[in-house]
Amino acid sequence: MANHSQLGFQDASSPIMEELVEFHDHALMVALAICSLVLYLLTLMLMEKLSSNTVDAQEVELIWTILPAIVLILLALPSLQILYMMDEIDEPDLTLKAIGHQWYWSYEYTDFKDLTFDSYMIPTTELPLGHFRLLEVDHRVVIPMESPIRIIVTASDVLHSWAVPTLGVKTDAIPGRLNQTSFIATRPGIFYGQCSEICGANHSYMPIVVESTPLPHFESWSSLLSS
């Protein structure tokens, strides 16, 4: 859950999000090095008079051609690695289907019989004390922690997007099309997200709440809900 005036990311709760945060820090360090070098060269040009031999030197041209290529490689390799990791879907322990509507989500646990429900935002007037305004729902998505989860995302009317930042998940919900992704919740907790595609007047009123629990708690919840 993000805090007021928070500058960084939310605490990562999945291996993919941990990799994304590390890559973000890596890219920022590269950008900081580039900005520092450019600032130094600008200061040097303003403070000192460069000779034409220095400006036209072939060694300098060789450096400012090779150096950007090296920087791009340093950014591309970890980026491609993370992209392949995000597309890779192992054998899931649980498959969940999320269907976007105007303006709520429907969920189907395809590994269980008749385990489906709709998830609506709780209005502010009915919100229990201590819960988050515009983020709490009447039915949370409950998943077992430390288990591979595959989520299939689609929509019934317009474009939506199922996004939970702390899990590193953001998948577009497109009518007539099934998109899928996977994640692993590495710790128990309650993770909040929202629809990340403008989908109409009440776009900001269709939050997502994922509750990660130990496996025995998830089994008790699923048996109670499906009975």
Side-chain angles (χ1 to χ4, degrees), residues 172-220:
D172 288 340
I174 303 173
R177 177 174 177 175
L178 296 177
N179 290 332
Q180 68 174 354
T181 187
S182 64
F183 61 89
I184 300 176
T186 56
R187 59 184 175 90
I190 300 174
F191 313 124
Y192 294 90
Q194 289 178 305
C195 176
S196 297
E197 189 75 40
I198 297 178
C199 55
N202 292 332
H203 156 68
S204 57
Y205 301 107
M206 48 183 307
I208 302 161
V209 182
V210 178
E211 183 175 352
S212 173
T213 63
L215 184 58
H217 293 178
F218 172 78
E219 292 175 344
S220 300

Side-chain angles (χ1 to χ4, degrees), residues 9-29:
F9 291 103
Q10 300 180 28
D11 294 337
S13 301
S14 69
I16 292 296
M17 190 59 191
E18 292 176 1
E19 293 289 338
L20 289 173
V21 172
E22 291 181 3
F23 175 70
H24 170 266
D25 297 340
H26 169 71
L28 277 186
M29 292 304 297

Side-chain angles (χ1 to χ4, degrees), residues 1-217:
M1 180 67 189
N3 300 318
H4 293 292
S5 70
Q6 179 176 336
L7 298 179
F9 291 103
Q10 300 180 28
D11 294 337
S13 301
S14 69
I16 292 296
M17 190 59 191
E18 292 176 1
E19 293 289 338
L20 289 173
V21 172
E22 291 181 3
F23 175 70
H24 170 266
D25 297 340
H26 169 71
L28 277 186
M29 292 304 297
V30 173
L32 179 62
I34 294 174
C35 293
S36 301
L37 178 61
V38 172
L39 181 61
Y40 170 74
L41 292 177
L42 287 175
T43 305
L44 192 65
M45 292 178 65
L46 293 174
M47 300 298 295
E48 297 184 9
K49 182 178 180 181
L50 300 178
S51 63
S52 60
N53 293 332
T54 304
V55 176
D56 298 333
Q58 292 185 356
E59 292 81 3
V60 176
E61 294 182 0
L62 186 63
I63 291 174
W64 70 42
T65 301
I66 295 179
L67 192 60
I70 296 176
V71 170
L72 291 176
I73 293 175
L74 292 176
L75 291 176
L77 291 181
S79 176
L80 291 174
Q81 181 184 10
I82 295 175
L83 284 175
Y84 279 107
M85 290 174 60
M86 295 176 68
D87 286 337
E88 183 178 358
I89 298 179
D90 298 324
E91 289 295 330
D93 292 342
L94 178 69
T95 299
L96 174 67
K97 185 177 182 181
I99 306 172
H101 308 272
Q102 289 182 311
W103 289 271
Y104 64 96
W105 293 96
S106 296
Y107 297 100
E108 301 177 4
Y109 288 76
T110 59
D111 300 300
F112 298 85
K113 183 179 180 181
D114 298 330
L115 183 49
T116 62
F117 55 85
D118 297 330
S119 180
Y120 290 87
M121 185 194 74
I122 299 179
T124 304
T125 55
E126 304 174 8
L127 193 66
L129 185 64
H131 289 232
F132 296 106
R133 176 178 172 270
L134 301 182
L135 287 177
E136 195 56 67
V137 296
D138 56 356
H139 292 94
R140 295 173 175 174
V141 177
V142 181
I143 60 172
M145 59 177 288
E146 297 180 343
S147 299
I149 309 296
R150 175 174 61 185
I151 179 165
I152 301 173
V153 183
T154 186
S156 64
D157 37 42
V158 297
L159 293 177
H160 300 279
S161 183
W162 200 87
V164 182
T166 188
L167 294 174
V169 177
K170 184 180 184 297
T171 304
D172 288 340
I174 303 173
R177 177 174 177 175
L178 296 177
N179 290 332
Q180 68 174 354
T181 187
S182 64
F183 61 89
I184 300 176
T186 56
R187 59 184 175 90
I190 300 174
F191 313 124
Y192 294 90
Q194 289 178 305
C195 176
S196 297
E197 189 75 40
I198 297 178
C199 55
N202 292 332
H203 156 68
S204 57
Y205 301 107
M206 48 183 307
I208 302 161
V209 182
V210 178
E211 183 175 352
S212 173
T213 63
L215 184 58
H217 293 178

